[in-house]
């Protein structure tokens, strides 16, 4: 238990991703079985201990501590496990006298998993009495789930993959077919077991991703499609169950029930989740869809209301087919998968699914001309896919390219700056900028924290410090004199800023010390760019 | 019969004793101020006359320039109007005192800020039985239990030794905490030079002038970046994430504060190595002190007065909050 508690303790205070990977990797290499498997389950959020819930923990602690003092403490600390770990009073002498035996993580999980709601308070109390504050925190975190140590499931899997020298995509792929504490996974990682099999299970497969296009492509080798601005999803149906996964491999089935219910063919497909509307594209592009803004109403919802389903009905524009029925076709060329996809889609509800249309272009120049019109049609850009490419996980050179439309730019005035994180914690690196309104005042239109070089960052940081006119906690307000050329993909109506505007992917393109602030753009001009 | 301690008036900006014509730790300039200790939230400049321990007066002169004051030694009794006044050690920082007042057979102790743990920079808190005990409550929640400061200092040393290519940068309150941390590091065996931010220099010199040996201290400004690898650097908390720290070799950010006990608090400040070291009493010290003194009434100046008053009342004893303002201590 000590080693796992120490791991959590160190993860809490570590900000760098690489340092986190190393901490977890070191632990997974050195901890014995089954401890390391349970640790991996806890970090990936797969550990479930139904007998020990928050209610049980509250009941247990208020038997030892004044309930009002506990409530005040919980209110201050804000985390149940941490509050209880810190507040837990020294046990009666009798318990201390009985030499505490060191429980391993595996034994702890095993004991916790046998507890029922009835016997949990007493058993957990006895366990906490034998631990120090940091071990108590670890045990309570195991029980309540949600480690809150700044480690995503994906990061934990990456740490495992790196520790055993396997591609993380392979680990992702077998992940949903294995159970904690993952003996098969560790055996495979150590080289003395075969790869676990996920057939017949609705598991996530890693996505194939595109690189930005630089230069040209020969259309006899590459097929072109429109690039839709929605959420990339994977649809999986196996063994009679359907799941929707996000690009990170998170299960988002619950947020889009109407899509999941309609995906009734066995297989795995890749596509773009969109909602019906007229914000982007038109019939000529294979059907219009609403803007990303409309889709946002549907994202990150645990429960979906009937109203939401009616106002923003979702559908998926299919891009690719990974598994056709039971047949894994990922190693087949794109042309074959595309033909299979078209046949596959025939059997699906057209209300919920269509196939991304291919662009007919004579040659690359012709395609470039079509792309020129993308902004007017409110389409994000085009995709190029190598006709003979296999479906491979990750972003592999030469196979898929994204060719976004050229960004829009605006000259804005720097208004506020905030310090960054990690290596940037001493730099003012997050910038809020504004445009002029009709009364001659500045209204914030966006916020950007990348696009500049290290030298430009140092310059901007110096500017902020030398021109501060107000401080609000971590935020500094600056003299409204500096013009920044901001590049962004598109601009939308939004309630986030007072200007009623919000930008997609804003970044600092140039520092315009040559331009007086009065000549920066006006809110009206930016509003005209909304499509 | 009048209420207990009715001659002691608590106002948001300090404690006023009309019969003695003085204020204790007033936050606005007053003709006569009795000051418990040198932290800026208790000791303000601009008073007519200041009565404080010689060490506290020195600290105030170091910060605000010459004071028209009267040094009062621990244990010495003064008569101010109809009130007998005595300063006794509070164990908080160098020169820190509780102010013991007696009038008409009633004794009221204003303890200022205090702690019960050993601190090599000042004499220990002296418990004085009293009718009314006036206490702070900065860490008055049962989640605050400060560990042994020596163990925390050892963590700091271990981090410095484990990272020969980086330095450990520890934020510590410039008055009291920094010097105590230096002494803890010394007794834990760190005899290398300790590098300090310019803002710590004068107060460290002052501690030395009072006979406290801090060992080899060097200004960070004099050191080359590469020479600070594997070393320990101290600065005020406000400098931790400031651009001043860019001169250091990839610093590991540490902070010595009682607030570091709560993980999310440490995370909010970008701290990688939290050191739970406080010059304030923790929950156990506060409750043990009140239990030991067992005053008729407990008055709570600032901090988590709600929790401490609740705890005392749950024992069927009298307690109330004074709601003094301006005494929050975010960095201790």
């Amino acid at each position: 238990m000590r080693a796992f508690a120490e791991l959590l303790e160190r993860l809490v205070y570590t900000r760098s991703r690489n340092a986190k990977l190393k901490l977890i990797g070191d632990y997974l290499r050195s901890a014995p079985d089954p401890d390391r498997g349970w640790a991996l389950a806890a970090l990936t959020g797969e550990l479930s201990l139904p007998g020990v819930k928050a209610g049980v923990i509250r009941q247990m602690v208020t038997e030892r501590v004044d309930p009002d003092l506990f409530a005040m403490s919980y209110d201050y600390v804000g985390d149940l496990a941490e509050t209880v770990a810190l507040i837990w009073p020294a046990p009666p002498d009798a318990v201390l006298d009985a030499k505490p035996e060191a429980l391993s993580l595996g034994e702890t999980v095993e004991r916790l998993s046998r507890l029922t709601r009835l016997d949990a308070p007493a058993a957990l109390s006895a366990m906490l009495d034998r631990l120090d504050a940091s071990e108590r925190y670890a045990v309570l975190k195991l029980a309540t789930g949600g480690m809150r140590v700044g480690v995503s499931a994906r990061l934990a899997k990456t740490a495992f993959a790196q520790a055993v020298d396997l591609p993380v995509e392979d680990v992702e792929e077998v992940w949903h077919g294995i159970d904690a504490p993952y003996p098969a996974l560790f055996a495979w990682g150590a080289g003395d077991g075969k790869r676990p099999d996920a057939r017949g299970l609705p598991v996530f497969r890693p996505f194939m991703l595109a690189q930005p296009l630089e230069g040209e492509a020969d259309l006899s080798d590459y097929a072109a499609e429109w690039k839709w601005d929605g959420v990339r999803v994977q649809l999986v149906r196996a063994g009679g169950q359907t799941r929707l996964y996000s690009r990170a491999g998170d299960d988002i089935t619950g947020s889009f029930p109407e899509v999941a219910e309609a995906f009734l063919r066995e297989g795995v497909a890749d596509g773009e989740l969109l909602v019906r509307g007229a914000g982007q594209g038109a019939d000529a592009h294979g059907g219009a869809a609403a803007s990303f803004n409309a889709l946002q109403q549907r994202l990150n919802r645990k429960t979906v209301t009937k109203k939401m389903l009616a106002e923003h009905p979702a559908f998926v524009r299919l891009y690719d087919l990974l598994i056709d029925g039971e047949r894994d076709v990922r190693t087949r060329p794109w042309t074959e998968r595309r033909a299979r996809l078209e046949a596959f889609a025939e059997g699906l509800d057209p209300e919920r699914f269509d196939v991304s249309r291919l662009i007919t272009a004579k040659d690359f120049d012709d395609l470039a001309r079509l792309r020129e019109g993308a902004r007017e049609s409110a389409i994000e850009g085009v995709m190029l896919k190598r006709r003979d490419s296999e479906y491979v996980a990750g972003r592999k050179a030469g196979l898929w390219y994204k060719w976004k439309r050229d960004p829009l730019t605006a000259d804005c005035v720097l208004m506020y700056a905030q310090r960054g994180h990690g290596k940037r914690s001493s730099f003012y690196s997050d910038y809020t900028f504004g445009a002029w309104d009709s009364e001659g005042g500045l209204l914030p239109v966006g916020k950007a924290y990348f696009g500049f070089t290290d030298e430009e960052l140092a310059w901007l940081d110096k500017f902020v410090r030398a021109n501060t006119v107000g401080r609000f906690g971590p935020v500094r307000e600056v003299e409204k004199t500096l013009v920044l050329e901001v590049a962004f993909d598109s601009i939308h109506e939004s309630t986030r800023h007072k200007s009623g505007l919000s930008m997609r992917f804003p970044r600092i393109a140039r520092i315009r010390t040559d331009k007086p602030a009065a000549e920066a753009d006006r809110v009206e001009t930016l509003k005209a760019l909304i499509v | 019969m009048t209420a207990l301690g009715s001659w002691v008036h608590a106002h948001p900006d300090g404690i006023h004793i009309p019969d003695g014509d003085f204020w204790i730790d007033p936050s606005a300039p007053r003709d006569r101020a009795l000051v418990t200790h040198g932290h800026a939230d208790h000791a303000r400049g601009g008073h007519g006359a200041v009565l404080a321990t010689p060490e506290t007066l020195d600290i105030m002169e170091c910060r605000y320039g010459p004071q028209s004051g009267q040094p009062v030694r621990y244990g010495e009794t003064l008569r101010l109007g109809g009130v007998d006044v005595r300063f006794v050690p509070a164990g908080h920082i160098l020169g820190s005192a509780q102010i013991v007042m007696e009038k008409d057979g009633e004794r009221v102790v204003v303890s200022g800020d205090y702690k019960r743990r050993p601190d090599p920079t000042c004499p220990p808190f002296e418990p004085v039985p009293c009718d009314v005990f006036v206490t702070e409550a900065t860490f008055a929640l049962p989640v605050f239990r400060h560990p042994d400061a020596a163990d925390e200092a050892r963590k700091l040393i271990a981090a410095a030794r484990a990272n020969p290519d980086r330095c450990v940068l520890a934020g510590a309150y410039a008055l009291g905490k920094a010097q105590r941390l230096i002494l803890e590091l010394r007794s834990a065996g760190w005899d290398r030079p300790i590098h300090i931010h310019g803002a710590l220099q004068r107060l460290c010199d002052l501690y030395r002038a009072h006979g406290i040996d801090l060992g080899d201290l060097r200004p960070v400004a004099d050191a080359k970046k590469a020479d600070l690898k594997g070393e320990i650097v101290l600065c005020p908390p406000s400098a931790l994430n400031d651009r001043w720290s860019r001169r250091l070799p990839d610093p590991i950010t540490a902070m010595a504060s009682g607030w570091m006990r709560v993980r999310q608090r440490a995370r909010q400040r970008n701290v990688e190595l939290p050191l739970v070291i406080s010059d304030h009493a923790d929950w156990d010290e506060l409750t043990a002190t009140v239990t030991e003194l067992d005053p008729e009434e407990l008055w709570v100046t600032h901090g988590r007065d709600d929790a401490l008053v609740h705890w005392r009342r749950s024992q069927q004893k009298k307690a109330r909050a004074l709601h003094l303002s301006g005494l929050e201590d975010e960095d201790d």
Side-chain angles (χ1 to χ4, degrees):
Chain A
M1 202 60 217
R2 181 74 259 151
F4 180 66
E6 219 155 82
L7 173 67
L8 291 187
E9 210 67 67
R10 295 187 66 179
L11 285 173
V12 168
Y13 301 114
T14 303
R15 297 223 168 225
S16 136
R17 183 173 181 273
N18 285 335
K20 284 180 185 177
L21 287 172
K22 185 171 179 329
L23 283 172
I24 301 170
D26 288 349
Y27 174 86
L28 294 178
R29 265 194 301 263
S30 60
D33 286 321
D35 288 19
R36 54 187 186 165
W38 290 120
L40 190 57
L43 291 171
T44 50
E46 307 260 333
L47 184 62
S48 165
L49 298 166
V52 204
K53 287 279 168 259
V56 165
I57 294 170
R58 278 169 212 263
Q59 183 196 334
M60 172 194 79
V61 72
T62 47
E63 278 166 16
R64 289 268 185 113
V65 180
D66 177 306
D68 291 306
L69 289 175
F70 172 73
M72 287 184 233
S73 299
Y74 182 28
D75 183 53
Y76 175 79
V77 175
D79 179 286
L80 182 65
E82 177 158 25
T83 310
V84 175
L86 292 175
I87 211 169
W88 196 250
D93 296 344
V95 179
L96 275 185
D97 286 347
K99 267 263 183 265
E101 78 266 39
L103 274 189
S104 72
L105 174 59
E107 288 162 331
T108 306
V109 171
E110 203 221 324
R111 281 197 196 187
L112 291 174
S113 62
R114 269 189 280 130
L115 297 179
T116 63
R117 218 163 251 281
L118 228 53
D119 57 10
L124 192 56
S125 286
M127 201 182 264
L128 295 188
D129 278 342
R130 290 155 194 265
L131 302 170
D132 69 21
S134 146
E135 292 167 322
R136 290 197 293 263
Y137 175 74
V139 166
L140 291 163
K141 277 289 170 195
L142 287 176
T144 55
M147 296 283 125
R148 267 184 96 190
V149 292
V151 174
S152 65
R154 169 82 182 178
L155 188 79
K157 289 173 206 167
T158 306
F160 168 80
Q162 289 186 2
V164 299
D165 207 14
L166 281 169
V168 65
E169 290 76 18
D170 290 9
V171 175
E172 285 278 16
E173 177 143 2
V174 303
W175 186 260
H176 296 269
I178 52 177
D179 289 317
Y182 318 118
L185 181 73
F186 281 95
W188 176 45
D192 26 273
K194 67 177 194 339
R195 178 183 166 128
D197 193 354
R199 258 179 301 181
L201 295 167
V203 305
F204 170 72
R205 271 85 178 176
F207 277 98
M208 178 161 183
L209 304 171
Q211 292 183 304
L213 179 73
E214 283 162 23
E216 295 194 1
D218 185 343
L219 293 195
S220 56
D221 293 333
Y222 288 87
E225 285 173 68
W226 297 109
K227 184 175 190 318
W228 296 94
D229 190 12
V231 171
R232 195 80 183 275
V233 287
Q234 185 173 100
L235 297 142
V236 184
R237 185 171 175 85
Q241 300 179 75
T242 302
R243 298 273 187 282
L244 250 73
Y245 293 105
S246 72
R247 227 186 80 172
D250 295 324
D251 186 339
I252 54 166
T253 316
S255 297
F256 300 96
E258 78 270 46
V259 174
E261 282 159 19
F263 193 74
L264 294 171
R265 290 194 68 164
E266 294 260 321
V268 178
D270 176 352
E272 194 86 10
L273 188 90
L274 298 160
V275 300
R276 295 283 174 199
Q280 54 178 321
D283 286 346
H285 306 99
S291 75
F292 185 79
N293 257 33
L295 173 59
Q296 260 177 332
Q297 313 297 322
R298 293 284 310 265
L299 296 179
N300 305 317
R301 304 268 178 187
K302 283 218 175 83
T303 53
V304 191
T305 61
K306 273 199 179 126
K307 187 162 171 270
M308 249 185 261
L309 287 172
E311 283 177 6
H312 302 289
F315 70 101
V316 174
R317 186 147 286 167
L318 298 167
Y319 290 145
D320 213 320
L321 194 64
L322 289 70
I323 294 178
D324 189 1
E326 284 186 0
R327 178 144 183 231
D328 192 334
V329 296
R330 283 177 290 177
T331 52
R332 307 302 306 157
W334 175 85
T335 37
E336 181 186 330
R337 294 201 312 278
R338 172 79 196 189
R340 284 179 180 271
L341 176 67
E342 285 170 11
F344 185 88
E346 292 283 309
L348 294 171
D349 178 357
E351 270 299 298
R352 299 287 169 223
F353 303 95
D354 60 26
V355 177
S356 162
R357 183 173 300 180
L358 297 179
I359 302 173
T360 331
K362 282 204 306 288
D363 52 23
F364 190 76
D365 290 342
D366 193 24
L367 181 67
R369 270 190 298 279
L370 288 168
R371 173 180 165 272
E372 296 281 301
R375 171 147 324 268
E376 205 170 309
S377 317
I379 283 188
E380 220 190 342
V382 300
M383 297 291 301
L384 289 158
K385 296 178 177 172
R386 211 180 149 83
R387 295 176 192 275
D388 61 3
S389 61
E390 295 182 8
Y391 191 98
V392 290
R395 203 172 262 118
K396 206 166 166 205
L399 302 183
W400 282 12
Y401 291 109
K402 53 186 170 192
W403 192 20
K404 284 199 186 189
R405 61 189 175 190
D406 294 329
L408 296 166
T409 62
D411 289 331
C412 300
V413 182
L414 179 63
M415 300 179 72
Y416 305 97
Q418 193 173 351
R419 278 185 193 162
H421 286 291
K423 278 211 184 305
R424 281 187 178 176
S425 63
S426 75
F427 288 93
Y428 285 89
S429 61
D430 297 11
Y431 310 107
T432 301
F433 41 82
W436 298 107
D437 67 9
S438 49
E439 269 113 62
L442 274 175
L443 290 179
V445 295
K447 194 174 170 183
Y449 41 91
F450 67 99
F452 36 76
T453 64
D454 287 353
E455 288 73 34
E456 286 171 325
L457 173 61
W459 190 92
L460 284 164
D461 177 68
K462 218 167 136 196
F463 175 88
V464 170
R465 290 169 193 275
N467 293 278
T468 299
V469 295
R471 289 161 200 249
F472 315 91
V475 177
R476 288 206 188 190
E477 182 178 3
V478 298
E479 204 74 68
K480 313 296 181 305
T481 55
L482 182 68
V483 176
L484 299 171
E485 184 182 315
V486 180
F488 52 97
D489 191 60
S490 58
I491 193 160
H492 303 273
E493 285 184 39
S494 158
T495 50
R496 197 179 332 150
H497 296 294
K498 221 189 270 173
S499 60
L501 295 171
S502 88
M503 292 174 172
R504 287 266 284 157
F505 306 124
R507 61 261 185 201
I508 307 297
R510 264 199 302 167
I511 303 171
R512 295 291 305 266
T513 46
D514 57 313
K515 192 160 193 174
E519 289 176 25
D521 278 316
R522 298 162 56 88
V523 173
E524 290 310 308
T525 320
L526 294 179
K527 275 196 179 143
L529 299 173
I530 299 177
V531 283
Chain B
M1 196 187 129
T2 52
L4 206 52
S6 58
W7 44 281
V8 177
H9 298 182
H11 299 277
D13 55 348
I15 293 172
H16 185 209
I17 319 293
D19 292 337
D21 194 21
F22 65 86
W23 288 71
I24 296 174
D25 292 352
S27 59
R30 298 289 174 187
D31 289 343
R32 184 153 64 176
L34 272 60
V35 174
T36 57
H37 66 284
H39 279 145
D41 48 346
H42 295 259
R44 312 270 170 143
H47 301 307
V50 177
L51 278 70
T53 62
E55 297 85 354
T56 298
L57 275 178
D58 276 0
I59 291 166
M60 290 177 74
E61 292 195 340
C62 177
R63 293 188 143 176
Y64 306 119
Q67 301 285 308
S68 61
Q70 180 188 344
V72 186
R73 290 181 189 290
Y74 289 131
E76 195 180 316
T77 302
L78 301 172
R79 193 163 177 89
L80 301 173
V83 185
D84 284 328
V85 176
R86 194 155 55 97
F87 285 59
V88 305
H92 178 54
I93 60 166
L94 177 69
S96 64
Q98 311 174 67
I99 295 173
V100 179
M101 301 181 289
E102 281 178 61
K103 182 180 178 299
D104 304 333
E106 266 177 35
R107 187 186 287 159
V108 177
V109 172
V110 177
S111 55
D113 290 340
Y114 65 97
K115 68 172 174 290
R116 305 300 302 270
R117 288 156 197 268
D119 178 340
T121 68
C122 58
F125 177 94
E126 185 183 314
V128 179
C130 52
D131 301 298
V132 177
F133 185 60
V134 184
T135 183
E136 55 135 329
T138 304
F139 290 113
L141 283 176
V143 287
F144 291 111
R145 293 200 167 85
H146 310 326
D148 187 354
D151 287 339
E152 301 296 285
R154 279 192 280 274
K155 276 190 209 164
L156 186 58
I157 293 173
R161 293 200 171 125
N163 292 280
D165 291 329
R166 304 176 71 183
C167 78
V168 180
L169 173 64
Y173 213 59
L175 171 58
K177 183 72 62 67
Q179 296 77 19
R180 181 176 169 217
L181 179 57
I182 291 169
L183 288 183
E184 291 289 355
L185 289 168
R186 295 304 182 206
S187 56
W190 186 260
D191 45 18
R192 300 189 52 73
I194 293 174
H195 302 265
I196 59 171
H197 184 282
L200 304 183
Q201 189 68 53
R202 288 205 302 168
L203 288 163
C204 286
D205 291 345
L206 186 145
Y207 266 64
R208 279 187 170 134
H210 281 274
I212 294 164
D213 179 12
L214 300 173
D216 187 357
L217 301 185
R218 297 188 188 172
V220 173
D222 292 355
K224 287 199 198 93
K225 193 169 187 169
D227 294 341
L228 292 173
K229 288 183 178 177
E231 301 293 343
I232 293 175
V233 179
L234 300 191
C235 69
S238 59
L240 277 180
N241 291 316
D242 193 32
R243 82 185 138 156
W244 170 84
S245 65
R246 285 182 214 161
R247 71 185 66 204
L248 306 173
D250 193 13
I252 296 163
T253 308
M255 170 134 162
S257 156
W259 302 112
M260 293 296 109
R261 175 91 163 148
V262 176
R263 288 169 180 81
Q264 298 306 332
R265 284 289 287 247
R267 273 170 68 96
Q268 277 159 15
R269 300 201 61 145
N270 284 331
V271 169
E272 295 166 79
L273 179 64
L275 304 169
V276 188
I277 303 180
S278 176
D279 286 328
H280 290 275
D282 68 7
W283 174 257
D284 291 338
E285 292 169 71
L286 288 168
T287 54
T289 302
V290 174
T291 304
E292 178 185 356
L293 299 176
D294 196 23
E296 277 300 308
E297 288 192 23
L298 180 71
W299 296 0
V300 185
T301 53
H302 64 284
R304 293 311 299 252
D305 45 26
D306 53 348
L308 198 59
V309 166
H310 168 86
W311 166 80
R312 186 64 176 163
R313 284 184 182 160
S314 70
Q315 302 175 320
Q316 278 70 53
K317 303 279 188 174
K318 282 188 183 166
R320 68 182 172 102
L322 300 183
H323 302 299
L324 264 52
S325 60
L327 298 175
E328 290 74 29
D329 199 344
E330 282 298 300
D331 280 343
D332 188 89

